[in-house]
Structure formats: C-alpha cells, structure tokens
Amino acid sequence: MKHRRNTLATAFLAAALCVAAGGAHAQSKIKVGLMLPYTGTYAALGTAIENGFRLYVQEQGGKLGGREIEYFKVDDESEPSKAVDNINKLIKRDNVDVVVGTVHSGVVMAMAKVARDTNTLLVIPNAGAEAVTGPMCAPNIFRSSFSNWQPGYAMGKVAGERGAKKVVTITWKYAAGDESVEGFKEGLKAAGGEVVKDLTLPFPNVEFQALLTDIAATKPDAVYAFFAGGGAVKFVKDYAAAGLNRTIPLYGPGFLTDGTLEAQGAAAQGMLTTLHYADGLDVPKDKAFRADYGKAYKMAPDVYAVQGYDAAQMLGIGLDAVKGDVSKRNELVAAMEKARIDSPRGAFTLSKAHNPVQDIYLRKVVGTENKSEGVAVKALADPARGCNM
Amino acid sequence: MDLAVFLVQCLNAVQYGLLLFLVASGLTLIFGILGVINLAHGSFYMIGAYLAYALAPLFAAQSGGGFPAALAIGVVLSIVFGYVLEWVFVSYLYERDHLQQVLMTYGLILVFEELRSIALGDDVHGVAVPGWLAGSVPLGGVMTYPVYRLFMSGVCLLVALALYAVIARTRVGMAIRAGASNREMVQALGVDIRLLYRIVFAAGVALAVFAGMLAAPVTSVYPGMGNQVLIVSFVVVVIGGIGSIRGALLASLLVGFVDTFGNVLVPQIAGVLVYVLMAVILLWRPEGLFRTG
Amino acid sequence: MKFRRFAILVRQTSAWRGWPLAVAVVALALFPHVGGSFYVDLVLTTMILSIFALSLELLVGRTGLVSFGHAAFFGIAAYATALLSPSSQPPSLAWLLPAVVAIAALAALAIGAFCLRARGVYFIMVTLAFAQMTYFVFHDTKLAGGTDGMYLNVKPLLALDGDTLVDLRNPRTFYYATLVLLVLVYALLATIGRSRFGHALAGIRANEQRMRAAGFSTYGYKLAAFTLAGGLAGVAGFLHAVKDGFVSPEILAWHQSGAVLLMLILGGIGTLRGAVLGAFAFVLMKELFQSEALFGAFAKHWQLPLGLAVIACVALMPKGIVALPTQLRRFRAPLLHAG
C-alpha cells in the first residue's frame, strides 16, 4: 500500500516539476543589454534614453511579449576604442537577447559590426550614423531615432524657403557633423540656395572665435551649425557674443538647442531649428507621455527620452508578435519592420533600412522651450545609400 | 584676409595665449622649482571652472560685486587646497624619479575627475558672463568683439606683471629664481626649502584654478576640459624652458598665434602645428627658449 | 645508485628557473577549453597588451629611456593593418604582418631620430609630442575615417598552395596565434637581453657617459632599441586591429601611452615577466573596479578606486609585483629576528 502511494506521490511530483520547469522556462526573463554613456559629456543623454525605455516597459506591467525584462548595463563612455570590448561584455558575458544603444556615432559603428558578426538584435535609440542604415544595414539592426541626414535636409529646405541664397556651414569634423551638413546642402539646393563655405574644427574642440571672425568676413545670408552638448552651448553663446545673431540668422538641427537652453539663456532666443520632436506638440500621446515621465522622474522629457521610449515600443511590438520567443528571429524582425509606432513625436513607420520615416518639425526657441511651429517636412525618409536590403 | 579681420584674429590669438600663460606659468614653476612633473595640473584648471559654476548661484543676487568676490574666494580656496595637497601628497614625490611622478599624478587625475563626477555630476554647464562685462565692442562693420574677452586678456596681463614683480623684485622671488637654478645650494644657504616649495605649489595651483574660473564663462564647463589644457600647457612649458616665466609668456603667445591662425588657415592640420612648433624649437634649442640654470 | 641519479635529475629539473614561465604558457594554452568566451576574450586582450608592454620594457627597463609616446607605434601598425587590407578578400598573413611591423619600425626610426636628441625630461616630453602629432593626423584628417575610426573588413589568413594553414577569422586560431607571438616576442627579448647588444643597452642605462668614453656610439644603440621597440609594438597593434576588426584614433591617445607605462611599473621595471604580470594586473584591476557585482551602483565611478590604487601601487611597490616576495621577506625578517 505504502509503496503504491509513494510511487504515485513521486509520479505526481515529477509531473508537477515538469510542468513547473516548462512553465518556468516560459516565465524566464528577456535579457536587455543597455550600452549607453553613463559618464562623460553625453551622460545626461544616456540617462534620458534609459528612463524613456524603462517607462514604456513599466507601462506594459514590466513585461514585453509577456515576459519580464532583466536589464544589464554597460557604460560605453562615448569611446569608440572601447566599443567592441564593451558590447562583447553584454553579448558574451551577460548573454543578452537584445542590445540597446548608443548615443555616439563612432561607438555605434563598432557595435553594428559586432552585431552583424554575431547576429545579435540591436536597437539604436540615438546615434544617427548613416552607415548603420546604409552600407552596414542588416535585418537585426534597427533604429528608433533619426539619421544625421534627416534634420539637416529639413533645415536646408526651410532655410532656402526663407530666402537664404549664400550659406556658411560650421561643424565638428566627424561623421555626424559631415552627414548633417550634407543633408542640409541637399535640402538647401532643392530650395534654391547654395553653401559657399564649409568650416570645420576637430571634435571636440570649442575654440570658435577665429572661425566666427571668418564667418563675419564672408557675410553670408545664414549660417548652419551642427553641434551637440557642451559644444552647442558654447557655439550659440559665442555666436551671440560676436554680435552675428543680429544680422545673420543661425540655423541648425534640434541638437543645437535641445537640453542646452538653460545654459544658453538669452543667446538662443528666437532661434529656428528642425527636429523630429518639439515642445508643445498637439499629439495626445505626447501629452500623456510628458505627464507620466514627469511623475516618474521629476523632470521634463527630451527627444532622447522619446527615442528610448520608442525603442522599447518597437521591441515590444516585435516580442508581442512572437509571444516572447526570441529564438523566432525572422518573425520578430518582420513584425518590427511592419510596425507603426505610436510615438510621442507622432506616429511613424520604419523604412526598408530600418530607420524611422517621420515628420520633421520646425521649432522656435521661446524661453526654455523649443516650441513647435508646424511641420517642416512630412514623412521624411532617409535615402539609405549603400544599403542592400 | 583683410586688415580688420587680421587684427581681430590677432586679438583672439593674444587672448588665448594669455589664458594659456596663466596655466603654464603655474606648471613651469612647479616643474622648474619643485622638479615635479605634475600631470594633475589640468585638473586644477577643471576644478577652477567647476568652482565658478558652483559659486555662481551664491553671487547671482549681487549685481556687480558678485564676480570679483567669487574670483577672490576661489583664489583663497585654491591656495589652501594647494598648500594641503603639497603637504599631504606632493612632498612625497620629490625623491622619486620622473616616471613615478608621472604615474602618481596620473592617478591623481583619475581621482579628481571622479570626485568631481560624484560631487557635481557629469553634465555640461554654462556660466553666465557677469552683467557689467556682457557687452560687445563694435569692430568694423558686421563684427563685434565680446568685452569679456578683452577683460580676460587684461586680467591675465595684470597677473603676468604681478608675477614678474614678485619674482624679480621680492625676496621670495629671489629664492624662487635661485631654487630654479640650483635647489641644493638654496637649501645649503639656509632658506627653508620646504616652506618655499609649499608656497610655490600653492601659487601654481591658484594660478591654474584662477585661469579656470576666468575661462568658465567662455569655454563652458564640461568633463575632460582639464586634459586638453594639460597637454598644451606642457608644450608651452617645454618650448619656453622649464622654470622660466619669461619663456612661458613668450611660448604661450607663440602657441596662441600658431593655434588661432592655424585653425583659420589650415584647419585640417591645425592640431598638429603646435607639436611641430615644439619639435622645431627643441631641435634648435634643446632646452627651450630660455634656459634656467 | 640509480635512485641517486634519479634524485639528482629531479633536483636539477625543479631548480630550472623556467618552470613558472612554462606553467604560465601551458595555463594560457589550456584556458580556452575551460573559460567562458567573455573571459577568453579578456585574456586575449591582455596577451596583446602584454606584447605591447614587453616592447616598451626594452626601452624603459633595459635602456632607461622613458617614452611617453609608445602608443604611436601601436596605433600606426593598427591603422596600417586596416588601410593595407583589401575590402573584400582576406589578405595573406605572410606579407601583411611583416609589412605592418616594418612600417611601425620605420616610423619609430624616423621619430626616434628626432627624439633621441633630447635628454631626460625633455625626451619624455618630445616623445609625447610626437605621439600627439600622430594622434592628430588620424583624428583630424579623413585619411582613415577621422574620429569615428575605420573597419578592417576581412581578417587575414596564412595559406600555402591553396591550403589555409592559419585562418585568423577563427577565434580559437586567433587566440593561439596571439599566444605564439607572445612567446616569440618574449623569447626574442630574452635573447637580446643576454646578447652583447642587450648588455650595451644596460650599460647605457647605468651610465651613458661612461659607455661613450668606452667607445660605444650610444646614439646608434639607443636608436636601434627605439626602432626595435616600435616594431614590436607594431605586432601588438596588428593583433589589436585583427581582433576587433575596428580601429579608432583613441588607441594613439596619450592615455594609452600612460597606461602601458603603468603596466610596466605595476609589474616591475627591469624584468620581462614584470611587463606581462603588469599587463594582467592592470586589466584585472580595471575589471575588478568596474564590476557591478562587487561595487553595485558605485561601479560607474571605477576610475576613483583605480586612481587610488595606481597611487598606492606606485608609492608602496615602486619595484612592482615581481619584487613583492623580496619586499615581504625583508618586511618579515626583522620580525623573525625580534621574535
């Protein structure tokens, strides 16, 4: 009698364990590797991106595709030379299912190479390097932000439409700067203007005084500048201090005035910039997003937070389609490609090269806000030159 | 380029050179008299800039008197800081060889950067130019030149003159000059060398911190700003001659001109030009422009 | 009788001073079979850094020339590897490696010819200046991708008559190739150390004037050492480019030159095994301080404990890890006698 009861009990236990094991397997967490700058000049951007990402996951009850998320973080320090080692920490040491990152274009180029070689899913929440949706494009690489060309092109069209015939460009000599200026040139040409001079200085040099003198001597109709972070703060202030802003309008992509207005103060007032996000947008999702973000993090969101939020959204859509089974890569990718992302910036879709096709807004600096003045270019897609997808 | 633009570029060059002089003079004193290669000198500059940022809200209420008061407080704090640092850390570097000094001060850079990161964060900050200096002087037609930059050049020039006066005309200055030539002899002659070293180090730190505070409204405040200044300062010190203030002044102005005009005329290779200048001068005069002892 | 011979043989074998080295090499060779792929990568990076450190040891330890610009040759070699490789076919190891090493050595010859005119602290400064020059050339110009760096599209291989002998695209093969190169560089430097050339360099470090008085053309010897060190740094640079498939200007930054000097002093200047130990110690320290498992949220401020550790190590262990046993013995000895 006892024997049979024991056997039955054992059998029950075994069955229960099997169910539990099977269930536990389905309940195991999805590993998300965040490779962002947590130190250095872009630290604030990295934090904003992570905040946005986590906010979306929280709104879904802490799960994407029905599974909980486990986060792994690596500080990339915006250093391209350490990028390969850093992303390998996430892929080989932590065995993440997807990598989300980063801000700096040079770092993301190295990440894209490793992602291609190891076939790891990579979602880029900022870096606009055209190479990753150009020659290095791949089915497993997505971007939720922009390509450097997009805001530049939009600004070029606006500048041309506002009567600028001769324009001087100024930027740092690196991929993001070059690509932004190229986009501007194309847009300006389409609207009937031309760039007469390209000024550059090495990244991250901020001694602008000599170049500002050069601009004054050239007497153009307008100036297009691409800088970000500390460089943006300094340039706008120096431009005003040199008195150039009274006679020569300064244009630029939104990075020139995003997150920098408190420091730039009076020097930036009235400046026009173009970006895929702005303050005071008439988008219901944006109003809800701003309220939730403010409650969760006690600060106002910026374009970087929106990009992080949308990266999570994109990933969530894909994971929902495969019910959390990351091994079904092809279906996951297909779902992400077809996704329509309900973003605070306004809904957008992805191009064939996996870059957002989105509205670019014209913004004006009023106080400490970049107020939207309407859409500069609607549904702008990056030309994705060199991508064979 | 026409004459007006040329003159403005010269102004730019002089202003940059004079600011560089402030940092380099401290470095050359420390290097020449204490015999210590101090890689952390750039960190003092960074500390000065962050100090300006941290003190700015305290003086925001006062309209005119705020900025000079902040500068004064900064200088006093830095003298105390330099004094203590020499006592606690730098004095142990004197007997060590150059390699050990290089590496220990390199460790110090890391420590300062992280302490700053913990205390004040990693964001980029702007420091407002004080109201009474915020104007611009018109310079022919389109351009205006910021008054603050003229103010900076003026202050740096005053400091240079004051340094010259102290070194050439006072007893302390005499001991400093002697110490730069022959340290052992000065000790043998009964000068309290330890006190002298402490004063010199504190002065060097104060100069670098002051330069950082002065430059903050113009360069904005960001992590890593010390590193860029450090290397250029070393180039200036080597070109000018280790231990020579006169050399540091001349070399700073030279570097200021090469860098400014290089950036305008040949931006592709501007970064390299300063080092080419150093290589050329060292080939001509292996110990810098003005040798001391 | 036989037992006695056997005992003598055992004693002689155990007295062989090469045991620690042999054990180390065997341990490194076996590691890929036991370690996780991330840690194997870490050891691989450290081996490459060891080669870099060994090359500098020839200059700093043996010849007494403190160069603060050694990263220049590491970087030039890495960039040369990327620039010389064709974009679609794997280049042959047989010509690529010697070519890259030759380029690095030539650069060292040119730069050394200038720098060695300076003495003492000026030498340190001029080497730094030239390294900065090379950094800016790669950083500011479009020669090789500027600040964003450039890719190495296809990794090299070694083929003979159509049969691939060594394919560096295979991570295992690459690991062993690196290990072999490390052993070869170590052996080369050890041989040089025992040679007449090596003794001349040691003499120059001890007292250059005396060597000149004895009739040695010290400038020539120093230049030869500088060139050789540059070429060997080139081996490390080549391996770095192949490992990552990506090069960026930061590998030429003065921080790299500083880091490798740090490795030497950590391990112990003057010995070859000190250079290798120093490289491993440095990488281990960095990993330790960056580990979130140990430091949690504070791990992002890892440069603080690293800086303090650097200061402590240089202050308390100026002769490095290799001298630790001797230091401890000296520390314990008075206690033993007192007890």
Side-chain angles (χ1 to χ4, degrees), chain B:
Chain B
M1 85 174 54
D2 63 18
L3 189 63
V5 175
F6 176 72
L7 285 176
V8 172
Q9 297 292 26
C10 286
L11 260 177
N12 293 331
V14 167
Q15 177 256 303
Y16 178 51
L18 284 174
L19 187 70
L20 210 48
F21 168 68
L22 237 51
V23 181
S25 58
L27 191 61
T28 203
L29 280 177
I30 294 173
F31 207 164
I33 295 163
L34 278 60
V36 170
I37 302 183
N38 178 28
L39 286 185
H41 206 69
S43 299
F44 302 142
Y45 176 81
M46 183 262 300
I47 288 175
Y50 272 90
L51 200 60
Y53 163 70
L55 289 177
L58 294 177
F59 298 101
Q62 304 172 279
S63 52
F67 192 59
L71 283 177
I73 293 196
V75 169
V76 168
L77 281 174
S78 58
I79 291 179
V80 171
F81 172 63
Y83 197 88
V84 171
L85 189 64
E86 196 279 348
W87 189 19
V88 161
F89 180 78
V90 180
S91 48
Y92 296 102
L93 294 178
Y94 299 143
E95 305 99 51
R96 295 180 182 265
D97 63 41
H98 286 311
L99 179 58
Q100 293 177 1
Q101 290 175 354
V102 161
L103 292 173
M104 285 178 80
T105 50
Y106 180 70
L108 205 59
I109 298 179
L110 297 178
V111 170
F112 283 143
E113 278 291 329
E114 283 303 323
L115 285 176
R116 189 264 313 136
S117 172
I118 295 174
L120 293 165
D122 287 312
D123 290 337
V124 180
H125 298 290
V127 173
V129 174
W132 52 288
L133 289 168
S136 293
V137 173
L139 282 174
V142 183
M143 252 211 100
T144 61
Y145 201 75
V147 167
Y148 187 74
R149 284 180 182 260
L150 292 171
F151 169 74
M152 275 174 73
S153 303
V155 169
C156 293
L157 209 51
L158 277 174
V159 171
L161 287 171
L163 257 176
Y164 170 73
V166 166
I167 293 205
R169 298 290 154 100
T170 66
R171 296 183 75 117
V172 174
M174 201 161 59
I176 289 177
R177 271 182 290 138
S181 297
N182 194 328
R183 200 178 313 144
E184 291 84 6
M185 191 53 104
V186 171
Q187 222 167 336
L189 287 172
V191 175
D192 183 351
I193 205 79
R194 298 236 300 253
L195 184 63
L196 185 68
Y197 282 2
R198 219 156 277 171
I199 292 175
V200 169
F201 189 80
V205 172
L207 281 166
V209 169
F210 183 72
M213 293 189 80
L214 205 58
V218 158
T219 60
S220 63
V221 177
Y222 58 96
M225 62 189 299
N227 287 323
Q228 297 165 1
V229 158
L230 176 71
I231 296 288
V232 184
S233 316
F234 266 109
V235 170
V236 166
V237 166
V238 172
I239 291 178
I242 296 178
S244 162
I245 299 282
R246 239 185 319 166
L249 183 60
L250 186 57
S252 316
L253 290 171
L254 254 171
V255 168
F257 272 88
V258 167
D259 196 65
T260 304
F261 281 95
N263 273 314
V264 174
L265 298 171
V266 280
Q268 286 268 37
I269 61 168
V272 185
L273 282 178
V274 173
Y275 299 97
V276 173
L277 174 70
M278 172 166 138
V280 164
I281 292 192
L282 282 181
L283 281 175
W284 171 46
R285 295 253 206 159
E287 301 208 349
L289 291 172
F290 294 95
R291 290 183 37 163
T292 48

Side-chain angles (χ1 to χ4, degrees), chain A residues 90 101 192 257 282 335:
Chain A
L90 289 170
T257 56
D282 194 14

Side-chain angles (χ1 to χ4, degrees), chain C residues 30-110:
Chain C
L30 291 176
F31 190 69
H33 297 282
V34 296
S37 80
F38 171 70
Y39 292 101
V40 173
D41 257 8
L42 200 60
V43 170
L44 182 59
T45 310
T46 318
M47 288 201 291
I48 296 177
L49 285 174
S50 303
I51 298 178
F52 188 28
L54 281 169
S55 71
L56 186 60
E57 163 61 30
L58 178 67
L59 271 182
V60 177
R62 183 149 285 277
T63 324
L65 290 168
V66 177
S67 164
F68 208 146
H70 212 56
F73 312 116
F74 181 86
I76 287 175
Y79 267 97
T81 315
L83 286 166
L84 287 175
S85 304
S87 51
S88 47
Q89 277 179 331
S92 170
L93 197 56
W95 67 262
L96 188 59
L97 179 56
V100 162
V101 170
I103 290 175
L106 260 156
L109 184 64

